[in-house]
Amino acid sequence: RIISALIALVLLQAEPLDAFQSTSQRSSIAPFRCSSPVVPSMAKLPSYPHNKLSLKMSVEGDFDPEALEKARSEAQSGSIKARIKALYKFTRPHTIRGTILASIAGTIRALVDTPGALSNANWGVMLPRAFVGMLALLLGNAFIVGINQIYDEDIDKMNKPFLPVASGEMSKRFAWVAVLASGAIGPIIVKKFFPALLFRLYSFGLFLGLVYSVPPIRTKQNPLLAGLTIATVRGFLLNFGVYYAVKDAIGAAFSWSPKVSFIARFMTMFASVIAITKDLPDVEGDKAYNIETFATRVGVGRIAKGATVCLMANYLHALATGLLSKQGAYKMVPMIGGHAALATLLLARFRQLEPDSIKSVKLYYKHIWDLFYMEYALYTLI
């Protein structure tokens, strides 16, 4: 259990959350943003002093035009290192961390819940299967976030110019190759190594990711459908699928344990909040391209307050679940104490929010992802 918690903390602290680095640069670029969706080329953007931030290589979240131009030039010149870095950014690393943590936590939970699973496990068979399962999940993740970048290229030039398709680090042709390869290899892996139910659920998740971004359905244009899509994939399908796969691998029958039911409910609600708050920093571009979100309709401040209220209700649900469940269903210290601590941290982060500051808004969104990651550490302990 201690090891699982340390794994989660290492993944969280290994590097700053890429999606939110160097946000102070955004205000410097603001004069070059237009009310129309016309964005100047990188070559026409001004120079900036070579401070600590601008010297960093272009990473997801870096709005420094010099770093972006340097990364784009290196990738287009044929640098293998630059192209690998662009591919890494293309996979949206902060979503990969969530997928990895969900896989690790779900695996630990399934093994702990099954008497004798750890002592009798055939690790020579299970570890390779776990590896290919993780690979399939990461390919599915790459397919969903990749196809979104292809169809959101013009919007991303305003909202997320650091993404490789929007910045020009990755050609659209190569992006399509990466997306199609991910969308083909992932299902093949699941079909070959895992039960038919998981193949159907995996395919359903890819379908939801596809219609989220691709016209004419493009569910991201409807805030309710967008929220339901993300909540279903990241909240239910991922957590249920990993637990079911591990149970199948060790030859144990699947059953809805209180802990699995709890995490499925809790993370579905949490993913719904992420689906709404992810649009907070992107209001400008979404308005320019007629993408209707709760943030464009209601406003950043109100959405942040509503999201905090929803997450607080989720934590209260966790506390109530622990207190009202039959004795022995949960370990009270992590279930009650852990969720109370995370709820307190959420309130502290919300009080620091300045709705009119894009830097503060992005930091608030980063903190929501931090809480999302930490929940998986608790999941292995409850």
Side-chain angles (χ1 to χ4, degrees):
R1 293 171 183 172
I2 294 173
I3 291 173
S4 67
L6 289 174
I7 290 172
L9 291 174
V10 167
L11 285 171
L12 182 60
Q13 300 296 335
E15 56 180 318
L17 187 61
D18 290 345
F20 313 99
Q21 290 178 336
S22 308
T23 51
S24 60
Q25 297 294 335
R26 184 165 186 151
S27 60
S28 301
I29 303 174
F32 296 88
R33 299 259 174 90
C34 311
S35 58
S36 63
V38 177
V39 182
S41 67
M42 291 291 181
K44 295 180 181 179
L45 291 174
S47 298
Y48 292 87
H50 288 283
N51 54 29
K52 186 177 180 180
L53 289 176
S54 63
L55 281 174
K56 294 177 69 175
M57 289 294 292
S58 175
V59 294
E60 181 169 330
D62 191 348
F63 284 84
D64 180 355
E66 286 188 355
L68 291 171
E69 173 62 20
K70 180 180 180 182
R72 182 179 69 85
S73 298
E74 290 179 350
Q76 292 183 351
S77 69
S79 167
I80 301 299
K81 181 180 178 180
R83 290 186 176 184
I84 291 175
K85 187 176 182 65
L87 183 60
Y88 172 70
K89 291 165 59 179
F90 185 69
T91 63
R92 305 303 301 275
H94 70 288
T95 64
I96 285 180
R97 293 190 192 104
T99 300
I100 292 174
L101 279 174
S103 301
I104 295 174
T107 299
I108 293 173
R109 184 76 269 156
L111 293 174
V112 171
D113 287 350
T114 308
L118 289 171
S119 58
N120 299 322
N122 185 349
W123 296 109
V125 174
M126 288 185 58
L127 288 178
R129 187 167 179 175
F131 173 78
V132 297
M134 178 77 76
L135 178 60
L137 288 175
L138 294 179
L139 288 170
N141 192 96
F143 173 83
I144 292 173
V145 300
I147 202 163
N148 178 255
Q149 290 173 67
I150 291 172
Y151 280 92
D152 277 11
E153 179 184 5
D154 291 335
I155 304 174
D156 289 342
K157 286 179 179 177
M158 297 186 69
N159 288 335
K160 304 180 182 79
F162 47 80
L163 293 178
V165 176
S167 69
E169 289 175 68
M170 180 183 289
S171 69
K172 192 171 279 190
R173 178 182 177 182
F174 187 80
W176 270 116
V177 170
V179 164
L180 293 177
S182 299
I185 298 172
I188 291 173
I189 291 174
V190 178
K191 179 75 171 177
K192 181 173 179 60
F193 292 100
F194 297 95
L197 174 61
L198 291 183
F199 174 73
R200 290 193 291 270
L201 292 177
Y202 185 89
S203 299
F204 180 58
L206 292 187
F207 171 76
L208 290 178
L210 181 74
V211 299
Y212 176 82
S213 300
V214 179
I217 301 177
R218 199 163 160 79
T219 57
K220 71 170 293 177
Q221 293 183 310
N222 181 293
L224 180 60
L225 291 178
L228 287 174
T229 299
I230 295 174
T232 300
V233 174
R234 191 161 284 281
F236 174 74
L237 293 178
L238 177 59
N239 294 292
F240 169 80
V242 170
Y243 191 87
Y244 187 98
V246 177
K247 283 284 192 177
D248 177 75
I250 60 180
F254 174 82
S255 61
W256 282 101
S257 73
K259 295 164 185 175
V260 178
S261 299
F262 164 73
I263 201 65
R265 295 193 307 271
F266 188 93
M267 285 312 209
T268 297
M269 180 62 185
F270 211 123
S272 299
V273 173
I274 287 178
I276 295 171
T277 55
K278 73 178 181 60
D279 299 314
L280 291 178
D282 299 339
V283 171
E284 180 181 342
D286 289 339
K287 286 181 177 179
Y289 283 87
N290 298 316
I291 301 295
E292 186 178 88
T293 67
F294 285 118
T296 59
R297 182 188 297 178
V298 179
V300 171
R302 289 182 179 178
I303 290 299
K305 184 180 293 185
T308 303
V309 169
C310 289
L311 288 180
M312 281 302 301
N314 211 23
Y315 284 121
L316 290 175
H317 147 257
L319 297 178
T321 299
L323 291 172
L324 300 177
S325 296
K326 64 181 181 180
Q327 187 175 4
Y330 299 96
K331 293 179 173 59
M332 290 295 102
V333 172
M335 188 65 179
I336 303 300
H339 286 106
L342 293 185
T344 302
L345 183 58
L346 169 66
L347 285 178
R349 298 307 191 189
F350 175 71
R351 288 172 181 163
Q352 297 172 355
L353 174 65
E354 300 174 15
D356 295 328
S357 167
I358 191 64
K359 180 178 181 179
S360 179
V361 170
K362 291 178 79 70
L363 187 60
Y364 168 79
Y365 180 51
K366 171 192 179 299
H367 290 322
I368 289 179
W369 271 98
D370 289 345
L371 292 170
F372 185 81
Y373 297 148
M374 285 187 275
E375 183 61 33
Y376 280 118
L378 273 186
Y379 178 42
T380 65
L381 304 173
I382 62 174

